Amino acid sequence: MGKRKAIEQIVKRQKRLRNTERVESKTEKSGDKEKWTNKQRVLIFASRGVSFLARHLASDLRTLMPHARADSKLDKAKGFFEINEICEMRNCNKCIFFEARKRDMYLWTSNTPHGPSAKFLIENIHTLAELKMTGNCLRGSRPILSFDPEFDNLPHYQILKELFTQMFGTPKLHPRSQPFIDHVFTFSIADDRIWFRNYQIIEEDGSLTEIGPRFVLNPIKIFRGSFGGPMLYENPKYVSPNQYRAQLKKNAGLRFKNKVESQMGHQVRKMKDTYNIDPLDEIFTTIKPEDAKGQEKLTYYRRKRSHPKDTGEKIAAAL
Amino acid sequence: MHPLTHVAIKISMEENTLDVREENEEDSNSESYSSESDVETEVTNRQLQDAFADGLLQPGLNFIDKPVKECANDVGSMKDILQEFTQNIDWIERLDVTCGPVHPPGMTEEEKNEEFDVEDYFKRELRFYRQAQAAALETLPKLNKMDVQTRRPEDYFAEMAKSDVQMKKIREKLLKRQMSLDKSEKAKKLREMRKFGKKVQQEVLHARQKEKTEMTRRVKNISKGKMQETGEELKKQQEKGKRRNQDPKGKNPNNPLTKKVNKKREYKNSKFGFGGKTRRMKFNDKDSHGAEEDGFDARRNQQSFSKQRMKKGGFKKGKGGGFKKGQGTAAGGIKKPGMKKGRPGKNKRKTMKSRRK
């Protein structure tokens, strides 16, 4: 197939993009030379009580990944085993699930029938709608997935790398995908966390702009089964946000406690007499008339006449 | 051993043994030292004496360490699972690449291996950018060899991830920022020039320009017949203009040319006020409320008056104490002639709308 013919075919397919279900059936029937073989379908949904950021992030991911499906909010009371069934019903083999707990957001990624699953704490979410990220890409175009070299060093990172590749990579010739490759997903490891970025490729020489969304994943646990099963890996450096908040409060309380204790200690240690003075030492101290001050001066200057008030008091005292 | 070497003891109550862990003064920043003034586990003097006798304790400051949490790290089974669920497909299907960031040509070896600080926003983002660049530079030639399209042709119009409305907003924001920068730069330049008296020259030029425009305007008016052709009139106009502009302190509020403007007040009025220029800016109009994206069509969604009244008096769907579906005039029950159900759902309406387009 020459390039021109390919473009023509693409344009034709593009016109039918409005009704995607029709397109799906047609590509399977029409007998194209190349068929869509890598059947990945991701179910992206959230639990009840997620904040607007998570909801918008979920919808952004669904926009960027044409092989993603949406589902209604899950009532957490049902538990995680339900999720596997829901995925099976929707014929999905991967799942991204946003869970909200208190003020924190957790992300579960899983390979649904039997495969491994991972739980992350998701932080620093920025959605597509942010005006500071100026790039744009075709809706449903295939991304280049770029991984940090750290991903090859440790086994748990290798598992995560494989999971992300299968999940975020758009399958080739997916009916809703666009044939051009114009953006890059970046997964980097820094500070024991996984940072996700999405860049648009402007020129072939490598100039990029950021499209969004952005988020940071802090791995918590990796399980052998989907949403359960034996635990393969636990992140020793992970501090749950509850613990973190409790620690902050404790530190604040500790500061106050230290202050009170130091004050009490000061009171205990403080001496009433700075040094011992024998009161008898003062009897024979002689002060020179030049150095006398205040009451002591009176010893050198006596009144010539006695004051009538004085005599009155003396008489009263005598009586 | 130095007498001040810190030693940390881990005492496990079940076995009644002491695990001693020596630490240097350097890593005294660990958490175990910070808040352990209140000892959670009771350590008896007897135990300490025994430990000292056994030689487990050294003279110096000893801390009780928190028990180290055992974290699962099953390398063997992780490798097995990796083998199991890895897909053996061509690279073209996966499109993944592992590479470090691209280094600019001037960087030394030291700088390349330097650990970057996560808190430094600029450096961090730059590093991610460079990693993406490296990936792009590696993959694009590969793809071009495989005859895979990477560049979008100019006439290819397709739906983008961000809508046109969104991109318009972004462009406006960028423009605004650019304009404010330009303005501030201009203002700075003017201030500089004032110092060197070039402003005078500019004013003269400006005045000349103004005069020219005024003359042309008058000539136009005269030719149109709006003004009478008298030399006196022109003179008077000129004099009037002169007097008008002689009010350096701006005390005459009626003269718009020399009135002193309180810029702070003006800004506050524009931001918080409701009159004047901002008379109509605090209300939604077609552009601001995103009607383009929603596509609410008032004409299509009009209902007859009687039906509106019925709808108002009806019960809310589903909620409100267990009403059965058939009861009352439920909101979803309004049926237009020729429709099987009530109002179609959001997705259906979207597809209908796009189909109509």
Side-chain angles (χ1 to χ4, degrees), chain B residues 81-182:
Chain B
I81 285 164
L82 189 65
Q83 290 276 340
E84 248 184 69
F85 93 111
T86 306
Q87 282 180 316
N88 291 321
I89 44 178
D90 300 329
W91 175 82
I92 186 73
E93 304 267 345
R94 284 161 60 102
L95 282 184
D96 71 326
V97 58
T98 310
C99 53
V102 177
H103 296 291
M107 263 187 140
T108 57
E109 274 299 317
E110 250 187 55
E111 280 186 346
K112 284 185 192 179
N113 296 333
E114 200 184 288
E115 272 286 313
F116 75 104
D117 182 20
V118 194
E119 303 295 324
D120 188 348
Y121 176 87
F122 185 67
K123 276 206 179 131
R124 189 214 319 153
E125 295 301 322
L126 202 64
R127 190 191 174 281
F128 298 154
Y129 180 90
R130 290 223 185 95
Q131 187 187 323
Q133 243 184 350
L137 289 172
E138 211 181 290
T139 16
L140 290 174
K142 242 189 199 176
L143 290 169
N144 286 330
K145 268 191 205 168
M146 293 190 200
D147 284 333
V148 177
Q149 293 275 342
T150 52
R151 251 172 175 271
R152 182 166 73 107
E154 293 298 326
D155 55 353
Y156 188 90
F157 294 115
E159 210 178 342
M160 307 289 274
K162 295 187 189 173
S163 63
D164 287 335
V165 179
Q166 179 73 14
M167 293 311 284
K168 193 169 137 193
K169 277 191 214 166
I170 292 171
R171 230 173 286 133
E172 277 176 12
K173 186 161 186 208
L174 282 176
L175 263 172
K176 226 173 156 183
R177 203 192 289 176
Q178 193 64 37
M179 267 172 36
S180 70
L181 277 173
D182 287 339

Side-chain angles (χ1 to χ4, degrees), chain A residues 14-116:
Chain A
Q14 177 4 73
K15 280 185 188 167
R16 289 183 228 133
L17 259 173
R18 281 176 221 144
N19 202 337
T20 50
E21 276 141 322
R22 240 193 279 161
V23 174
E24 210 168 5
S25 60
K26 266 201 172 164
T27 47
E28 281 169 357
K29 284 184 198 169
S30 66
D32 276 286
K33 278 184 191 166
E34 294 174 63
K35 279 192 180 177
W36 164 43
T37 46
N38 181 17
K39 312 259 168 148
Q40 299 287 348
R41 282 179 210 90
V42 186
L43 188 67
I44 302 182
F45 67 126
S47 77
R48 283 173 144 247
V50 282
S51 69
F52 71 97
L53 272 176
R55 268 189 295 114
H56 281 254
L57 181 62
S59 76
D60 290 342
L61 286 175
R62 269 178 246 134
T63 315
L64 290 172
M65 295 154 65
H67 57 296
R69 299 232 174 118
D71 200 51
S72 53
K73 282 187 251 179
L74 176 78
D75 203 1
K76 245 187 294 174
K78 293 184 184 169
F80 289 124
F81 308 109
E82 282 277 316
I83 300 184
N84 290 323
E85 289 178 16
I86 295 170
C87 287
E88 213 190 294
M89 273 202 305
R90 303 290 247 96
N91 195 16
C92 290
N93 59 358
K94 297 278 183 302
C95 177
I96 295 179
F97 178 65
F98 290 89
E99 184 193 350
R101 224 188 266 175
K102 259 192 181 177
R103 290 170 258 173
D104 323 304
M105 202 79 58
Y106 297 96
L107 179 81
W108 288 85
T109 50
S110 154
N111 184 15
T112 23
H114 331 283

Side-chain angles (χ1 to χ4, degrees), chain A residues 133 137 139 161 178 197 206, chain B residues 98 125 156 159 161-162:
Chain A
M133 298 193 275
C137 68
R139 187 176 217 175
K161 177 182 169 181
Q178 304 281 355
R197 297 282 183 271
Chain B
T98 310
E125 295 301 322
Y156 188 90
E159 210 178 342
K162 295 187 189 173

Side-chain angles (χ1 to χ4, degrees), chain A residues 306-317:
Chain A
S306 61
H307 203 262
K309 198 182 177 186
D310 281 340
T311 44
E313 277 183 2
K314 278 183 188 166
I315 292 164

Side-chain angles (χ1 to χ4, degrees), chain A residues 226-246:
Chain A
S226 168
F227 292 101
M231 191 159 53
L232 290 174
Y233 172 78
E234 194 178 342
N235 187 0
K237 295 192 186 164
Y238 169 71
V239 173
S240 88
N242 281 335
Q243 272 180 333
Y244 177 69
R245 273 176 240 133

